[in-house]
Amino acid sequence: MNGERLPVRRALVSVFDKEGLDRLAAALGAAGVEVVSTGSTAAVLEGHGLRVIRVEQLTGFPDMLDGRVKTLHPRVHAGLLADRGRPEHRAALEAAGIAPFDLVVVNLYPFEDTVAVQGVDDTLAIERIDVGGPAMVRAAAKNHAFVAVVCDPGDYRLVEAALAAGGTTLAERRDLAARAFARTAAYDAAVASWMGDRAGGQRFPERLTVGGRLRQVLRYGENPHQAAAFYVAGGPGGPWGLGAATQLAGKELSYNNLLDADAALALAAEHADRPFAAIVKHTNPCGAAIGATLEEAYAGALEGDPVSAFGGVVGLSRPLDAATATRIAGIFTEVVVAPGFDEQALAVLAGKPSLRLLQVDPAMPAGRVAVRSVAGGLLAQEPDHGGDDPAGWSLQAGDPPGPELLADLALAWSVAGHVKSNAIVLARDGRVVGVGAGQQSRVDSVRIAVAKAGERASGAAAGSDAFFPFADGVEALAAAGVRAVAQPGGSVRDAEVTAAAAAAGMAMLHTGRRHFRH
């Protein structure tokens, strides 16, 4: 039965991470458990006053091949895998003189941490691929009807409590087994990913391995009735982006905070070479600007749509300074995402206990694929890196834009790639002045962007994330006084659309790339 406790009489302990072994040794010793251990683990346990049997005494073989072979032996694995409910298994153990294990404590070589170090030597990485550890963990987890397996020092308290209570329950062993298989699955995924990178493997392999470690259970998901959690993605380079972020202040992050922070981070990262600020609401930028200083950039971003900015998420390309922090403090903001925060800025925002401050490196490792779920499967694609060079655009109508207008076109085009499709973005004087997002009709997105911009549409530049299927969108922009538009081109009506731009005296450039964001 689930509630019945199976006594722990014999344990196998072999760990790389020695954290917590003092408490574990005390608990095992107090319970009178016979302990078999390996190498350095045995030495540490003995140092804590616990008597152990060395694994070489059990197997009759010393460590071989520089420690690559030490636990791969029937006297270890038969003791882990024997089904004690089968008389033939019990007879086989007795005939071989092998005693079963009731508890296995094993954590693995730190492969993920090893390959997270820039420029790590392949030889060291390969040596950190554990073989015996996962074999013991999987064997014990398979046989959880009789064996408890622990592969995380954080679970030692559970072991201590179980030993004090007289043993482990089946429910506890099932839970530990599930955690153990999740650990070995993530470990193998990390190894497979690293091996694939080193081998120059396919971008989309036959089997997609996606690993993650629970960082926090969130209060709820997009809505209060939905449970949610945040997992940090694994991989050869270690955690990155929001998975490696440091929260310096504020309340616990919500599911929606994280989505908006991701959108703000992606846009700010595209402008890391200059002072830039973006304000995101419901994953769409509602303001964005370039400035001579970060304060100027933020002021310009806020000016884009101060109403929508209320309760938004701010993404910055530079460390937050006191002057910019003072401006941010003037409006209710949920999250600020930046590559750093100086002490004066933190002091300014200290009076905003709810404001979440996230320090994040905007760099994204090369070779990563973006993954999202659909019913019954996963979609994977290359990330859509923006930052397109206007020098590669082709002029289709009107006069070549001067430097200032071209800079506004580049800004509008960049931001459009971060707005839900259909997307139209208007920029003027280095700042976004109107955004039309997520409409089923492109001309409706134009109308919204123009309405948001008001008088500022006159003289502005427009970016359209995809081609104009009809001339009506361009005509509406021209009627509002928009001077130039950047769009991918590629419509069957390109000639008609271009003619409309030419008739209005509007410059039109084809970028040759689409930036849909569904």
Side-chain angles (χ1 to χ4, degrees):
M1 300 294 290
N2 281 0
E4 294 179 359
R5 293 193 173 273
L6 188 68
V8 177
R9 300 186 177 92
R10 194 164 186 254
L12 173 60
V13 184
S14 179
V15 297
F16 186 94
D17 182 355
K18 307 299 192 293
E19 177 189 352
L21 281 187
D22 53 344
R23 291 176 58 97
L24 183 64
L28 291 169
V33 177
E34 179 182 87
V35 176
V36 175
S37 189
T38 59
S40 60
T41 304
V44 172
L45 292 173
E46 289 168 342
H48 291 306
L50 183 67
R51 182 180 177 185
V52 303
I53 298 171
R54 298 286 181 131
V55 74
E56 56 267 28
Q57 296 174 256
L58 179 71
T59 63
F61 281 88
D63 288 0
M64 297 177 65
L65 309 179
D66 299 315
R68 286 190 174 192
V69 178
K70 51 178 175 264
T71 58
L72 298 171
H73 192 280
R75 289 193 172 275
V76 173
H77 283 272
L80 297 175
L81 284 165
D83 181 346
R84 297 173 218 174
R86 300 186 190 182
E88 64 272 25
H89 281 206
R90 296 198 303 271
L93 289 184
E94 186 175 348
I98 297 173
F101 290 104
D102 308 301
L103 171 68
V104 174
V105 180
V106 173
N107 58 58
L108 310 181
Y109 293 169
F111 177 80
E112 297 101 324
D113 292 342
T114 300
V115 297
V117 176
Q118 194 75 12
V120 65
D121 182 71
D122 282 9
T123 302
L124 176 60
I126 290 168
E127 286 306 315
R128 289 287 170 85
I129 299 175
D130 206 331
V131 175
M136 290 186 288
V137 167
R138 289 175 59 83
K142 174 178 179 175
N143 201 28
H144 64 269
F146 304 100
V147 185
V149 57
V150 175
C151 54
D152 186 336
D155 290 327
Y156 289 174
R157 290 187 182 277
L158 186 153
V159 175
E160 295 169 21
L163 290 171
T168 59
T169 66
L170 179 57
E172 289 170 341
R173 295 192 299 277
R174 280 177 176 158
D175 180 56
L176 289 169
R179 296 190 216 181
F181 279 122
R183 175 68 187 110
T184 58
Y187 194 84
D188 285 343
V191 174
S193 180
W194 180 79
M195 284 287 190
D197 287 347
R198 303 303 291 170
Q202 297 178 341
R203 185 177 299 277
F204 301 111
E206 179 66 25
R207 293 184 182 274
L208 178 65
T209 55
V210 179
R213 187 177 181 88
L214 180 66
R215 176 156 177 172
Q216 65 187 103
V217 175
L218 304 171
R219 287 178 60 200
Y220 52 80
E222 286 179 287
N223 301 289
H225 63 275
Q226 294 173 267
F230 176 37
Y231 286 82
V232 175
W240 57 278
L242 294 177
T246 300
Q247 184 171 349
L248 302 179
K251 297 191 299 186
E252 181 180 319
L253 288 159
S254 72
Y255 184 96
N256 292 335
N257 287 157
L258 286 161
L259 286 175
D260 285 335
D262 184 57
L265 175 63
L267 181 50
E270 202 166 293
H271 297 271
D273 60 337
R274 54 191 169 180
F276 176 85
I279 303 174
V280 169
K281 194 72 174 290
H282 305 310
T283 72
N284 283 307
C286 60
I290 301 157
T293 65
L294 193 65
E295 179 187 11
E296 182 180 304
Y298 174 75
L302 181 60
E303 186 182 299
D305 189 348
V307 174
S308 296
F310 185 85
V313 170
V314 174
L316 304 173
S317 67
R318 298 287 173 83
L320 181 64
D321 55 65
T324 310
T326 300
R327 286 188 178 268
I328 291 173
I331 182 171
F332 172 57
T333 301
E334 291 272 6
V335 186
V336 178
V337 181
F341 295 80
D342 68 31
E343 292 299 325
Q344 292 82 3
L346 293 174
V348 168
L349 297 177
K352 299 279 184 179
S354 296
L355 176 59
R356 304 154 178 92
L357 305 181
L358 276 184
Q359 183 168 312
V360 188
D361 181 350
M364 179 180 179
R368 295 296 175 96
V369 294
V371 179
R372 63 193 295 186
S373 63
V374 293
L378 298 172
L379 293 173
Q381 66 173 350
E382 296 178 341
D384 182 17
H385 297 298
D388 299 339
D389 185 356
W393 299 352
S394 60
L395 184 67
Q396 302 294 311
D399 297 326
E404 292 182 359
L405 184 57
L406 186 61
D408 285 340
L409 270 175
L411 176 61
W413 174 249
S414 167
V415 174
H418 296 266
V419 174
K420 295 290 186 182
S421 299
N422 287 317
I424 297 291
V425 175
L426 304 184
R428 180 177 172 180
D429 300 327
R431 58 194 62 183
V432 167
V433 295
V435 175
Q439 300 304 301
Q440 294 86 346
S441 164
R442 187 159 298 276
V443 72
D444 282 343
S445 289
V446 169
R447 292 170 180 145
I448 292 170
V450 166
K452 289 275 189 180
E455 294 181 355
R456 298 174 298 176
S458 180
S464 174
D465 65 340
F467 62 65
F468 288 91
F470 302 98
D472 53 1
V474 170
E475 291 166 347
L477 289 171
V482 172
R483 296 172 58 197
V485 59
Q487 58 121 330
S491 168
V492 296
R493 293 185 176 86
D494 269 352
E496 177 185 328
V497 172
T498 300
M506 177 190 292
M508 175 174 284
L509 290 91
H510 282 184
T511 67
R513 291 184 64 177
R514 188 181 78 181
H515 288 295
F516 258 174
R517 187 175 180 84
H518 268 49

